[in-house]
Amino acid sequence: MSAQRLTVAQALVRFLARQYAERDGRRQRLIGATWGIFGHGNVAGIGQALLESAEDMPYFQGRNEQAMVHAAVGYARQSGRLSTHAVTTSIGPGATNLVTGAALATINRLPVLLLPGDVFATRPADPVLQQLEVPYAGDVSVNDCLRPVSAYFDRITRPEALIPAALAAMRVLTDPAATGAVTLALPQDVQAEAYDWPEEFFAERVWHVGRPQPDPDQLVAAAAAVRSARRPLIVAGGGVHHSRAEIALKTLAEATGIPVASTQAGKGSLRHDHPQDVGGIGHTGTATADELARAADLVIGVGTRYSDFTTASGTLFTHPGVRFLNLNITGFDAHKLSALPLVADARAGLHGLTASLHGHHVEDGYETEYRDAKEQWEHRVDAAYEAADEDLRPTQPQVLGVLDGLVTEDDIVINAAGSLPGDLHKLWRARSRDQYHVEYGYSCMGYEIPAAIGVAMAAPGRPVWALVGDGTYLMNPTEIVTAVQENVPIKVVVLQNHGYASIGGLSESVGSERFGTAYRYRESDGAYTGAPLPVDLAANAESLGMRVIRAKTVRDLREALAEAREADRPTCVYTETETADTVSGAPPAQAWWDVPVAETATRPSAVKARGEYDRQVAARRRHL
């Protein structure tokens, strides 16, 4: 058996460059590139290996470790989970900065490979710079923070241990039921240690991503449940997109007439103008979908994990005899809400269900009902989008309306946190399966800009929009520099409303009077009620190298967005938005969300909010 003498870092980079994922006969590279910020712990190991392997492993320089993970996640989602990026960091704060990004990846079931440096395995000096000393355990480092947020974790303390660990890492990255953040912690001395590697370790490997078929008995039971239902409703989740099952879902919906609502992750599973699409569901959903949910006697979940926003914290599905049928690739999710499980790949399961339901169709009256309700909701969307006077500042929904009038199927819209996800879920008219990219599993502020970079790398030539509120922008604007350096022509839309609009509204609703949610001067009584701070986010973006277009009015905004869409360099459109207190805003929440209110309080606002909370929580239901 021949061997190559390489360092651990060199061997790992060479191995990663030869891994491929394949599904439905389509093969693509599993690790498309590596992001890195270098310090002690990876500069002389992975850094040196990447320098030697520049032709085989592209490298991108990031500015923030968390943001590098977000970029990799955006790339992975846009690539259908068949390709992702690796992220390497130094030890200490570089490694712990990965935790938030790792949690986001694992919660959203999106693959990303994390390669944090670690302290010396041989302990020649103890402690070293940035080392956490744990008196009761000598083998613990800060990288252990990544264990609970990783789908797979290993620490490579000997060169030969890399072989089984690397293979296990690839297995998890390509497992559609178990994927997420995969962490290989790399002690800095081990990275630089040489070893005689078997040639077979560097052979090209193709990891097949299968489509598990439904169990025949489960399929029979599922079809029987659908046939017996009078008011069935499909809830499309992110699994529809991960499986590329949009056409299969469309076929089932058209054949049976069953309406399709969507979670944040599942929006776009059907085009917005498809007759069976009834929009978003849950706390941020449409009135059409939520009213159907309240009356549904069978809820068919496809690739959804039923977050509390989807179920309105257990208060949405109120039909006395409601049952659940869950098509999911994981048994864990398929059994939620005491459902009848159909454990399978989403596309395979939908094909099987469509065939089993041949000739079955919902009653005409039910179809007429939801189509009429859909049309009425569209009028509400039009009203929220409309600007009676284009020489005034836009509201947030009007910003979305202007963008809605500009985009085509090619455009991709990215968001994650604040009030925008609610407005987008209710209002946005998704034109393609991948246009709507809202990260709402972790709803992580600071995701949008780096994710847009990753998406643009995976979809070159397509307009990619990062919609960013002022609060989110202040969390993580640094990857603007990366977009400029790599000339990734993302379009960043910054909406300035001088505070945390979403949490401010929530604060008011639970009796906390918008405490600590505005960007204003502190008054002498300690309250932040003074004038808005003179913070110029447009100037900040410009200082980081981005071209910035300021839009003061709706008319300005239309021109600015059109100009940004055609730009071949990173471009920012900045606008101050009007509040919904003075002009038409988005429709309010159509379903409840559980945020516990103080049971005892002295302020009248909190006492009143508690009364409303007790009324709402009484409607919660355990589906057993």
Side-chain angles (χ1 to χ4, degrees), residues 8 121 155-162 190 193 195 197:
V8 168
R155 178 176 283 113
I156 313 303
T157 57
R158 290 290 306 148
E160 56 267 38
L162 177 65
V190 177
E193 188 173 345
Y195 182 75
W197 304 91

PDB file of all heavy atoms in Angstrom, residues 8 121 155-162 190 193 195 197:
ATOM      1  N   VAL A   8      -1.346  16.786   8.979  1.00  0.00           N
ATOM      2  CA  VAL A   8      -2.783  16.548   9.170  1.00  0.00           C
ATOM      3  C   VAL A   8      -3.591  17.592   8.405  1.00  0.00           C
ATOM      4  O   VAL A   8      -4.579  17.263   7.738  1.00  0.00           O
ATOM      5  CB  VAL A   8      -3.125  16.570  10.667  1.00  0.00           C
ATOM      6  CG1 VAL A   8      -4.631  16.622  10.884  1.00  0.00           C
ATOM      7  CG2 VAL A   8      -2.540  15.348  11.366  1.00  0.00           C
ATOM      8  N   ALA A 121      -2.587  19.341  21.860  1.00  0.00           N
ATOM      9  CA  ALA A 121      -2.908  17.997  22.351  1.00  0.00           C
ATOM     10  C   ALA A 121      -1.794  17.466  23.245  1.00  0.00           C
ATOM     11  O   ALA A 121      -2.050  16.723  24.199  1.00  0.00           O
ATOM     12  CB  ALA A 121      -3.134  17.049  21.180  1.00  0.00           C
ATOM     13  N   ARG A 155     -12.742  15.591  18.104  1.00  0.00           N
ATOM     14  CA  ARG A 155     -11.481  16.305  18.313  1.00  0.00           C
ATOM     15  C   ARG A 155     -10.356  15.388  17.855  1.00  0.00           C
ATOM     16  O   ARG A 155     -10.243  14.251  18.310  1.00  0.00           O
ATOM     17  CB  ARG A 155     -11.324  16.684  19.789  1.00  0.00           C
ATOM     18  CG  ARG A 155     -10.014  17.401  20.094  1.00  0.00           C
ATOM     19  CD  ARG A 155      -9.938  17.849  21.557  1.00  0.00           C
ATOM     20  NE  ARG A 155     -10.741  19.026  21.810  1.00  0.00           N
ATOM     21  CZ  ARG A 155     -11.831  19.035  22.568  1.00  0.00           C
ATOM     22  NH1 ARG A 155     -12.263  17.917  23.138  1.00  0.00           N
ATOM     23  NH2 ARG A 155     -12.519  20.144  22.754  1.00  0.00           N
ATOM     24  N   ILE A 156      -9.532  15.868  16.940  1.00  0.00           N
ATOM     25  CA  ILE A 156      -8.508  15.037  16.306  1.00  0.00           C
ATOM     26  C   ILE A 156      -7.208  15.167  17.104  1.00  0.00           C
ATOM     27  O   ILE A 156      -6.395  16.069  16.856  1.00  0.00           O
ATOM     28  CB  ILE A 156      -8.289  15.446  14.837  1.00  0.00           C
ATOM     29  CG1 ILE A 156      -9.627  15.606  14.117  1.00  0.00           C
ATOM     30  CG2 ILE A 156      -7.399  14.435  14.134  1.00  0.00           C
ATOM     31  CD1 ILE A 156     -10.507  14.381  14.150  1.00  0.00           C
ATOM     32  N   THR A 157      -6.999  14.278  18.050  1.00  0.00           N
ATOM     33  CA  THR A 157      -5.824  14.368  18.924  1.00  0.00           C
ATOM     34  C   THR A 157      -4.643  13.543  18.427  1.00  0.00           C
ATOM     35  O   THR A 157      -3.547  13.638  18.989  1.00  0.00           O
ATOM     36  CB  THR A 157      -6.192  13.914  20.349  1.00  0.00           C
ATOM     37  OG1 THR A 157      -6.717  12.580  20.293  1.00  0.00           O
ATOM     38  CG2 THR A 157      -7.225  14.841  20.967  1.00  0.00           C
ATOM     39  N   ARG A 158      -4.850  12.719  17.406  1.00  0.00           N
ATOM     40  CA  ARG A 158      -3.779  11.956  16.776  1.00  0.00           C
ATOM     41  C   ARG A 158      -3.982  12.003  15.266  1.00  0.00           C
ATOM     42  O   ARG A 158      -5.128  12.014  14.785  1.00  0.00           O
ATOM     43  CB  ARG A 158      -3.801  10.488  17.226  1.00  0.00           C
ATOM     44  CG  ARG A 158      -3.390  10.261  18.666  1.00  0.00           C
ATOM     45  CD  ARG A 158      -1.907  10.527  18.873  1.00  0.00           C
ATOM     46  NE  ARG A 158      -1.088   9.754  17.940  1.00  0.00           N
ATOM     47  CZ  ARG A 158       0.081  10.185  17.464  1.00  0.00           C
ATOM     48  NH1 ARG A 158       0.552  11.371  17.787  1.00  0.00           N
ATOM     49  NH2 ARG A 158       0.790   9.424  16.626  1.00  0.00           N
ATOM     50  N   PRO A 159      -2.913  12.039  14.463  1.00  0.00           N
ATOM     51  CA  PRO A 159      -3.082  12.107  13.010  1.00  0.00           C
ATOM     52  C   PRO A 159      -3.975  11.007  12.455  1.00  0.00           C
ATOM     53  O   PRO A 159      -4.876  11.282  11.642  1.00  0.00           O
ATOM     54  CB  PRO A 159      -1.648  11.992  12.489  1.00  0.00           C
ATOM     55  CG  PRO A 159      -0.807  12.562  13.580  1.00  0.00           C
ATOM     56  CD  PRO A 159      -1.475  12.135  14.848  1.00  0.00           C
ATOM     57  N   GLU A 160      -3.746   9.773  12.877  1.00  0.00           N
ATOM     58  CA  GLU A 160      -4.506   8.673  12.295  1.00  0.00           C
ATOM     59  C   GLU A 160      -5.993   8.729  12.625  1.00  0.00           C
ATOM     60  O   GLU A 160      -6.822   8.114  11.947  1.00  0.00           O
ATOM     61  CB  GLU A 160      -3.925   7.327  12.735  1.00  0.00           C
ATOM     62  CG  GLU A 160      -3.842   7.133  14.237  1.00  0.00           C
ATOM     63  CD  GLU A 160      -2.506   7.553  14.820  1.00  0.00           C
ATOM     64  OE1 GLU A 160      -1.936   8.562  14.357  1.00  0.00           O
ATOM     65  OE2 GLU A 160      -2.046   6.862  15.747  1.00  0.00           O
ATOM     66  N   ALA A 161      -6.355   9.499  13.672  1.00  0.00           N
ATOM     67  CA  ALA A 161      -7.767   9.637  14.020  1.00  0.00           C
ATOM     68  C   ALA A 161      -8.541  10.461  12.999  1.00  0.00           C
ATOM     69  O   ALA A 161      -9.777  10.428  12.972  1.00  0.00           O
ATOM     70  CB  ALA A 161      -7.894  10.282  15.400  1.00  0.00           C
ATOM     71  N   LEU A 162      -7.816  11.187  12.143  1.00  0.00           N
ATOM     72  CA  LEU A 162      -8.499  11.998  11.139  1.00  0.00           C
ATOM     73  C   LEU A 162      -9.261  11.134  10.142  1.00  0.00           C
ATOM     74  O   LEU A 162     -10.325  11.538   9.665  1.00  0.00           O
ATOM     75  CB  LEU A 162      -7.481  12.866  10.386  1.00  0.00           C
ATOM     76  CG  LEU A 162      -8.056  13.712   9.245  1.00  0.00           C
ATOM     77  CD1 LEU A 162      -9.025  14.755   9.786  1.00  0.00           C
ATOM     78  CD2 LEU A 162      -6.941  14.375   8.435  1.00  0.00           C
ATOM     79  N   VAL A 190      -1.288  19.147  16.399  1.00  0.00           N
ATOM     80  CA  VAL A 190      -1.646  18.002  15.559  1.00  0.00           C
ATOM     81  C   VAL A 190      -1.810  18.434  14.098  1.00  0.00           C
ATOM     82  O   VAL A 190      -1.451  17.693  13.174  1.00  0.00           O
ATOM     83  CB  VAL A 190      -2.921  17.322  16.089  1.00  0.00           C
ATOM     84  CG1 VAL A 190      -3.353  16.175  15.172  1.00  0.00           C
ATOM     85  CG2 VAL A 190      -2.700  16.807  17.512  1.00  0.00           C
ATOM     86  N   GLU A 193       1.485  18.170  12.408  1.00  0.00           N
ATOM     87  CA  GLU A 193       2.205  16.902  12.529  1.00  0.00           C
ATOM     88  C   GLU A 193       2.080  16.091  11.243  1.00  0.00           C
ATOM     89  O   GLU A 193       1.005  15.981  10.658  1.00  0.00           O
ATOM     90  CB  GLU A 193       1.631  16.111  13.714  1.00  0.00           C
ATOM     91  CG  GLU A 193       2.421  14.867  14.058  1.00  0.00           C
ATOM     92  CD  GLU A 193       1.917  14.202  15.335  1.00  0.00           C
ATOM     93  OE1 GLU A 193       1.155  14.848  16.083  1.00  0.00           O
ATOM     94  OE2 GLU A 193       2.282  13.028  15.578  1.00  0.00           O
ATOM     95  N   TYR A 195       2.310  12.604   8.813  1.00  0.00           N
ATOM     96  CA  TYR A 195       1.876  11.213   8.935  1.00  0.00           C
ATOM     97  C   TYR A 195       1.893  10.606   7.537  1.00  0.00           C
ATOM     98  O   TYR A 195       1.735  11.305   6.531  1.00  0.00           O
ATOM     99  CB  TYR A 195       0.467  11.170   9.534  1.00  0.00           C
ATOM    100  CG  TYR A 195      -0.093   9.789   9.763  1.00  0.00           C
ATOM    101  CD1 TYR A 195       0.345   8.997  10.816  1.00  0.00           C
ATOM    102  CD2 TYR A 195      -1.091   9.276   8.921  1.00  0.00           C
ATOM    103  CE1 TYR A 195      -0.191   7.728  11.023  1.00  0.00           C
ATOM    104  CE2 TYR A 195      -1.635   8.016   9.131  1.00  0.00           C
ATOM    105  CZ  TYR A 195      -1.167   7.249  10.183  1.00  0.00           C
ATOM    106  OH  TYR A 195      -1.686   5.996  10.404  1.00  0.00           O
ATOM    107  N   TRP A 197       0.000   8.868   4.986  1.00  0.00           N
ATOM    108  CA  TRP A 197      -1.412   8.637   4.702  1.00  0.00           C
ATOM    109  C   TRP A 197      -1.579   7.637   3.567  1.00  0.00           C
ATOM    110  O   TRP A 197      -0.921   7.747   2.539  1.00  0.00           O
ATOM    111  CB  TRP A 197      -2.086   9.953   4.308  1.00  0.00           C
ATOM    112  CG  TRP A 197      -1.933  11.022   5.346  1.00  0.00           C
ATOM    113  CD1 TRP A 197      -0.934  11.945   5.417  1.00  0.00           C
ATOM    114  CD2 TRP A 197      -2.781  11.238   6.463  1.00  0.00           C
ATOM    115  NE1 TRP A 197      -1.119  12.740   6.514  1.00  0.00           N
ATOM    116  CE2 TRP A 197      -2.244  12.328   7.181  1.00  0.00           C
ATOM    117  CE3 TRP A 197      -3.945  10.629   6.936  1.00  0.00           C
ATOM    118  CZ2 TRP A 197      -2.827  12.821   8.339  1.00  0.00           C
ATOM    119  CZ3 TRP A 197      -4.537  11.111   8.084  1.00  0.00           C
ATOM    120  CH2 TRP A 197      -3.984  12.187   8.770  1.00  0.00           C
TER     121      TRP A 197
END
